[in-house]
């Protein structure tokens, strides 16, 4: 493993390509959503009323703020302020975890009302509503996994910044992790209206 | 394969030289050298190819006579499913890009490695993991998957066989494919040597570039599709289950949005290989360089818009059928551009009929038959008649085995002396080629006839009227297997005892031939500066 001159543009290009694949991965689900919304318009509107817009809105604010934090972290390191960068990163991870905690309560409430994949109660609802909740759990679930991965990634980068492995002169890893977090945020920006606001 | 090269009479073994201080196997499976990773892929792919061939032979043996013979129906269902899954996801998709692409891409660009060498190794590990999970799905649970490689719902949701594990294997393999594609795109953008302009890229690189884009943009859809099947089975989401409001047709859409472009992942690199070989053995600059390069991108683009031609009988609107049928015909145009350009390159060339060229000519023949028969199915009306019959099976095997398979064999014969520094027996290679061609056509051509007469694919048994053609087809499978055995034996013998080949035995002009054979570990002792095109050949001296 000979150490080569670091190719910044290459590292960024590779990350952007990876982010495309993430968008396309969710794209398959968005496609299903579009198809089923077209078929079950009324059912979707009805089912969306069961979702807690307040919790969803809160989570949107949380993720947007965390995206701001990670952007601040990148800028801070770019200017050589390691401490500020660490603080922003820690805040980002905390907000990400907060999002998941919120999600946990939201899902638990659904489960306790008998709304979970394959449940008997769900099966009694009109087919369009059942599909709506199928999509809801699939898409927010997959997104939740991404939040978890992103939080893990940012925690690792935080450690790397602390140890000086990611620093002012070489912070492409932080930048790429930040990009990943932005995409996770971006996907939520689309999920939120599609599930919570179409009532 | 990789461990076998003996050191005796070869002057230098380049990247094959054992590394001091590192054990034999570890120096391969933990190596980030793109050439070693390429050979790892090649070894795995060829091993799994052998498995797939055996499953194919087993099916043909069963079908030789009608009725309940050597294997039970359920075993037969598992056999065609595994044959499909192994051949598609473990052999053909990675075939040329992961093996020869890995070995050659940096060499042809004048680079020392791909952009992300460790990611490259990780891709290989994912590939191996996927292969192991696929293996697990065969031998655990309640029986090997029996859905066919397409995993169509609702059957794949309800069958009790081990589909959940199999789709996870496909998911992992898809991830491996994505990372390879991502790595190649970045490498082509970032790692070109000084002077290696886009117009000087070898055509193999262009085809790998187009392929890599499909890998990156289409494979995630496979990822989500397999994830959904898994969740349907485990969590009962009901997204494709009509009793829960889901629609199986949407599964077919998602599946083919990936799986149709995937056939271009399979065929484009083979086209790149042919574009490399033909000018070398015609000893003439390639005809229509720009159009061949452009047609690769055009195939990648239009190939992504034709998926629903697999669904003409599934119950789509007539408008959709007509649009997809039209787009399907459009894809034939860039494919034909390539064929015409290859033939024009050969025209008035100074042709030496060496094994790589033989396999390439075989490619052109088989691909033309397969490609034109594809138009029969692309035509919305005719497709109703041949849909889900042996005609489709014949078409697919002509294109993928006759195309990608022969392209892969052509690559093996062309770059063999470069990779191993030795030459195989050329006469035997030509014989093997002849037998393979006879076998392949005897095996698959009767399927066109049977398909037109109405023989459905994937059936365990058949009407007496098909008995003759089925019998001929099975005999063809034996001839083909014999040819493959001879070919692999010949290559293996060349690996062990072949005469040293020298750096450029074919008189080719791309960069990989400018370094020693096998290439040194660091690829280029001096970073190369490119001053001429990939097909500007030196004046002819007589090559042995």
């Amino acid at each position: 493993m000979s150490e080569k001159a670091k190719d910044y543009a290459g590292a960024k290009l590779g990350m952007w390509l990876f982010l495309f694949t993430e968008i396309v991965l969710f794209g398959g689900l968005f496609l299903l959503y579009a198809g089923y919304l077209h078929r079950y318009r009324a059912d979707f509107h009805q089912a969306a009323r069961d979702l807690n817009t307040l919790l969803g809105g809160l989570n949107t604010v949380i993720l947007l703020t965390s995206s701001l934090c990670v952007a601040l972290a990148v800028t801070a390191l770019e200017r050589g302020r390691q401490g500020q960068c660490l603080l922003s990163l820690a805040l980002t991870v905390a907000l990400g975890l907060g999002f998941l905690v919120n999600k946990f309560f939201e899902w638990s409430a659904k489960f306790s009302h008998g709304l979970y994949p394959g449940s008997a109660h769900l099966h009694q609802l009109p087919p369009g509503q059942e599909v709506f909740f199928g999509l809801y759990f699939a898409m927010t679930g997959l997104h939740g996994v991404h939040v978890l991965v992103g939080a893990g990634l940012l925690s690792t980068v935080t450690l790397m910044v602390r140890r000086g492995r990611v620093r002012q002169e070489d912070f492409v890893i932080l930048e790429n992790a930040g990009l990943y977090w932005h995409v996770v945020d971006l996907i939520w920006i689309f999920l939120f209206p599609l599930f919570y606001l179409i009532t | 394969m990789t461990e076998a090269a003996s050191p005796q009479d070869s002057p230098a073994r380049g990247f094959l030289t054992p590394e001091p201080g590192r054990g034999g196997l570890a120096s391969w499976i933990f190596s980030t050298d793109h050439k070693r990773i390429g050979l790892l892929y090649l070894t795995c792919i060829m091993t799994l190819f052998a498995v797939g061939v055996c499953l194919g032979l087993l099916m043909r043996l069963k079908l030789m006579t009608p009725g309940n013979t050597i294997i039970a129906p359920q075993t037969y269902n598992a056999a065609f499913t595994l044959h499909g899954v192994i051949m598609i996801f473990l052999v053909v998709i990675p075939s040329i890009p992961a093996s020869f692409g890995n070995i050659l891409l940096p060499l042809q660009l004048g680079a020392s490695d791909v952009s992300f060498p460790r990611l490259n190794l990780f891709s290989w590990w994912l590939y191996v993991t996927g292969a192991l999970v696929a293996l697990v799905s065969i031998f655990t649970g309640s029986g090997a998957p029996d859905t066919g490689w397409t995993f169509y719902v609702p059957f794949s949701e309800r069958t009790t066989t081990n589909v959940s594990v199999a789709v996870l294997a496909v998911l992992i393999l898809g991830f491996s494919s994505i990372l390879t594609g991502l790595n190649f795109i970045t490498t082509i953008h970032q790692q070109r040597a000084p002077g290696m302009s886009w117009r000087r890229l070898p055509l193999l690189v262009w085809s790998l570039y187009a392929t890599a884009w499909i890998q990156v943009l289409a494979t995630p859809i496979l990822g989500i599709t397999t994830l959904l099947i898994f969740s349907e089975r485990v969590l009962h989401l009901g997204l494709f289950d009509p009793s829960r409001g889901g629609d199986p047709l949407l599964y077919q859409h998602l599946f083919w949005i990936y799986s149709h472009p995937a056939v271009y992942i399979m065929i484009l690199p083979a086209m790149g290989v042919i574009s490399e070989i033909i000018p070398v053995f015609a000893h003439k600059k390639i005809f229509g360089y720009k159009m061949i390069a452009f047609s690769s991108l055009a195939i990648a683009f239009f190939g992504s818009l034709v998926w629903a031609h697999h669904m003409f009988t599934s119950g789509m609107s007539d408008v959709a059928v007509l649009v997809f049928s039209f787009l399907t015909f459009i894809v034939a145009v860039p494919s034909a551009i390539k064929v015409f350009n290859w033939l024009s390159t050969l025209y008035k060339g100074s042709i030496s009929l060496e094994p790589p060229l033989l396999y390439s000519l075989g490619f052109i023949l088989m691909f033309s038959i397969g490609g034109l028969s594809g138009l029969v199915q692309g035509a919305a009306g005719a497709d109703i008649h041949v849909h889900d019959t042996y005609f489709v099976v014949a078409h697919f095997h002509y294109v993928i085995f006759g195309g990608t398979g022969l392209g892969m064999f052509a690559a093996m014969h062309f770059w063999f002396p470069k990779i191993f520094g030795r030459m195989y027996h050329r006469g035997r290679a030509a014989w093997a080629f002849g037998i393979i061609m006879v076998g392949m056509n005897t095996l698959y051509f009767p399927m066109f006839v049977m398909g037109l007469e109405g023989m459905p694919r994937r059936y365990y048994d058949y009407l007496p009227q098909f008995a003759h053609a089925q019998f001929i087809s099975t005999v063809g499978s034996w001839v083909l297997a014999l040819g493959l055995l001879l070919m692999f034996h010949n290559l293996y013998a060349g690996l062990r005892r072949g005469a040293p080949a020298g750096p450029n035995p074919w008189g080719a002009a791309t960069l990989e031939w400018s370094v020693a054979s096998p290439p040194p570990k660091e690829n280029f002792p001096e970073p190369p500066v490119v001053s001429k095109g990939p097909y500007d050949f030196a004046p002819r001296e007589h090559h042995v």
Side-chain angles (χ1 to χ4, degrees):
Chain A
M1 252 182 283
S2 63
E3 206 51 55
K4 289 188 300 182
K6 197 145 187 175
D7 178 13
Y8 266 82
K12 289 284 275 290
L13 176 62
M15 192 63 198
W16 276 105
L17 288 171
F18 179 71
L19 297 180
F20 280 150
T21 71
E22 290 284 8
I23 303 268
V24 178
L25 181 81
F26 276 91
L29 288 168
F30 281 116
L31 218 62
L32 286 185
Y33 184 96
Y36 288 131
L37 176 67
H38 178 70
R39 181 171 307 175
Y40 302 118
R41 199 167 285 269
D43 281 339
F44 269 42
H45 287 237
Q46 190 59 39
R49 290 187 183 182
D50 285 346
L51 296 187
N52 189 331
T53 313
L54 186 67
L55 272 183
L58 186 62
N59 259 350
T60 309
V61 174
I62 289 179
L63 268 197
L64 280 174
T65 316
S66 75
S67 240
L68 172 70
C69 287
V70 83
L72 288 175
V74 175
T75 315
L77 196 64
E78 210 174 348
R79 295 186 181 160
R81 297 174 191 155
Q82 195 204 25
Q84 201 183 334
C85 169
L86 283 172
L87 187 70
S88 301
L89 276 176
L91 210 57
T92 314
V93 175
L95 285 167
L97 294 178
F99 175 91
L100 287 176
V101 170
N102 238 339
K103 199 91 238 165
F104 169 78
F105 285 119
E106 210 184 332
W107 274 33
S108 311
K110 292 280 162 307
F111 285 7
S112 66
H113 288 100
L115 293 172
Y116 52 88
S119 75
H121 174 62
L122 207 54
H123 203 41
Q124 284 159 2
L125 296 176
Q129 296 201 24
E130 194 172 0
V131 166
F132 178 86
F133 280 105
L135 283 168
Y136 167 76
F137 285 114
M139 295 177 87
T140 58
L142 189 62
H143 179 260
V145 171
H146 278 78
V147 173
L148 204 59
V149 171
L153 193 68
L154 286 172
S155 311
T156 317
V157 174
T158 311
L159 282 181
M160 290 170 93
V161 174
R162 258 190 71 180
R163 296 198 181 135
R165 280 197 56 202
V166 172
R167 54 190 181 276
Q168 190 179 9
E169 302 79 35
D170 177 8
F171 61 97
V172 73
I173 295 178
L174 172 63
E175 238 186 321
N176 280 346
L179 281 175
Y180 183 83
W181 193 252
H182 290 316
V183 163
V184 171
D185 182 24
L186 182 76
I187 290 168
W188 178 257
I189 304 265
F190 282 89
L191 290 182
F192 175 60
L194 287 181
F195 286 109
Y196 295 81
L197 299 184
I198 62 158
T199 46
Chain B
M1 201 170 196
T2 51
E3 298 293 316
S6 71
Q8 294 140 17
D9 50 327
S10 188
R13 292 182 64 210
F15 75 101
L16 298 169
T17 315
E19 288 176 34
R22 254 175 146 182
L25 190 62
S27 73
W28 283 87
I29 62 173
F30 299 121
S31 169
T32 54
D33 180 353
H34 65 99
K35 303 180 286 299
R36 289 199 164 200
I37 293 173
L39 272 183
L40 287 175
Y41 268 116
L42 188 62
T43 314
C44 297
I45 288 166
M46 283 303 136
T47 311
L48 287 156
F49 176 68
V51 177
V53 167
C54 289
L55 285 164
L57 285 171
L58 180 69
M59 280 189 281
R60 281 315 320 165
L61 195 61
K62 151 70 203 79
L63 291 166
M64 189 163 69
T65 51
N68 202 338
T69 57
I70 55 166
I71 52 175
Q74 186 60 28
T75 319
Y76 177 79
N77 290 350
F80 73 66
T81 302
L82 295 175
H83 174 80
V85 169
I86 290 175
M87 285 301 207
I88 297 280
F89 295 112
L90 286 160
V91 177
V92 185
I93 294 219
S95 62
I96 295 173
S99 62
F100 289 101
N102 253 320
I103 298 172
L104 295 167
L105 181 63
L107 283 165
Q108 291 202 326
L109 293 175
S112 60
D113 208 321
V114 292
S115 275
F116 311 114
R118 275 183 297 177
L119 193 68
N120 203 15
L121 180 64
F122 180 59
S123 303
W124 181 77
W125 274 101
L126 280 177
Y127 171 82
V128 172
T129 312
L132 289 177
V133 175
L135 206 68
V136 167
S137 81
I138 301 174
F139 295 110
T140 61
S142 45
D146 59 348
T147 57
W149 75 279
T150 47
F151 300 115
Y152 264 25
V153 295
F155 183 61
S156 61
E157 289 181 5
R158 294 183 185 158
T159 176
T160 54
T161 55
N162 217 354
V163 169
S164 308
V165 180
V167 292
L168 282 188
V170 172
L171 176 71
I172 297 170
L173 292 169
F175 200 38
S176 159
S177 177
I178 288 175
L179 293 181
T180 302
L182 184 157
N183 213 339
F184 281 10
I185 294 178
T186 314
T187 306
I188 294 168
H189 275 276
Q190 298 297 122
Q191 304 290 326
R192 283 171 288 133
M196 178 60 81
S197 60
W198 286 90
R199 286 180 172 199
R200 283 187 184 150
L201 287 185
L203 288 165
L204 177 66
V205 173
W206 270 111
S207 73
L208 288 172
Y209 185 67
T211 308
W213 272 110
I214 312 179
Q215 283 177 299
V216 166
L217 292 181
T219 318
I221 295 284
L222 175 74
I224 194 67
T225 312
T226 49
L227 263 181
L228 281 171
I229 294 200
F230 184 81
S231 354
E232 293 279 300
R233 286 177 66 84
V234 176
L235 305 173
H236 309 288
L237 280 178
L239 290 178
F240 301 128
D241 183 350
S243 70
R244 294 169 180 276
D247 187 346
L249 203 62
L250 282 174
Y251 170 80
Q252 294 187 18
H253 275 295
L254 281 190
F255 180 80
W256 289 115
I257 286 177
Y258 166 74
S259 294
H260 192 77
V263 306
Y264 299 106
I265 298 179
M266 303 176 199
I267 196 72
L268 274 171
M271 291 171 157
V273 167
I274 306 304
S275 307
E276 291 298 307
I277 291 176
I278 285 189
V280 170
F281 294 94
H283 210 81
K284 189 168 155 242
K285 198 166 178 158
I286 189 108
F287 184 89
Y289 170 90
K290 267 188 266 177
M291 283 317 282
I292 295 184
F294 166 74
S295 62
S296 291
L297 299 178
I299 289 178
F301 178 75
F302 288 111
S304 303
L305 301 175
V306 302
W307 74 86
H309 68 208
H310 294 266
M311 302 163 55
F312 287 167
T313 61
S314 300
M316 285 191 305
S317 73
D318 288 348
V319 178
V321 169
L322 286 177
V323 168
F324 280 106
S325 179
F326 174 71
L327 287 168
T328 304
F329 274 76
I330 298 239
V331 186
V333 176
S335 311
I337 287 177
K338 283 186 194 286
V339 172
F340 290 135
N341 279 329
W342 293 328
L343 297 182
S344 310
T345 307
L346 287 168
Y347 181 66
K348 287 194 173 169
S350 158
I351 293 174
S352 31
L353 215 51
E354 298 284 355
L357 184 64
L358 282 177
Y359 283 98
S360 305
L361 295 177
F363 172 98
I364 295 180
L365 174 72
M366 301 298 278
F367 176 74
S368 301
I369 298 175
L372 289 171
S373 68
L375 292 179
V376 176
Q377 299 152 76
D383 181 68
I384 306 296
H385 182 65
V386 295
H387 188 87
D388 248 346
T389 67
Y390 269 30
F391 194 89
V392 180
V393 181
H395 156 73
F396 191 71
H397 284 84
Y398 264 87
V399 175
I400 296 303
F401 198 2
T404 309
L406 286 181
M408 176 98 183
F409 299 158
M412 276 158 59
H413 285 85
F414 185 53
W415 281 291
F416 185 92
K418 172 50 58 191
I419 295 170
F420 299 109
R422 291 165 186 272
M423 188 58 90
Y424 48 84
H425 191 293
R426 299 183 198 186
R428 235 167 269 149
W431 268 104
F433 166 73
I435 299 173
I436 287 175
M437 284 299 281
V438 171
M440 220 179 243
N441 283 290
T442 320
L443 168 56
Y444 297 121
F445 202 82
M447 294 190 184
F448 276 131
V449 182
M450 283 188 274
L452 285 174
E453 288 175 353
M455 173 75 212
R457 69 197 284 207
R458 291 175 173 170
Y459 272 32
Y460 175 71
D461 204 355
Y462 49 85
L463 297 171
Q465 70 184 92
F466 298 113
H468 286 299
Q470 292 277 17
F471 185 82
I472 295 172
S473 178
T474 301
V475 173
S477 74
W478 300 335
V479 179
L480 178 58
L482 186 76
L484 290 174
L485 275 179
L486 182 61
M487 184 188 81
F488 281 113
H489 174 263
N490 183 39
L491 289 176
Y492 184 70
L495 192 68
R496 301 299 298 257
R497 296 183 297 274
N504 192 0
W506 311 121
T510 38
L511 279 181
E512 76 271 27
W513 302 99
S514 66
V515 295
S517 307
K521 188 172 187 304
E522 71 282 9
N523 286 0
F524 298 92
E526 294 280 309
V529 176
V530 185
S531 56
K532 64 185 181 63
Y535 309 108
D536 295 335
F537 298 108
R540 186 90 162 169
E541 337 151 17
H542 210 72
H543 295 286
V544 187

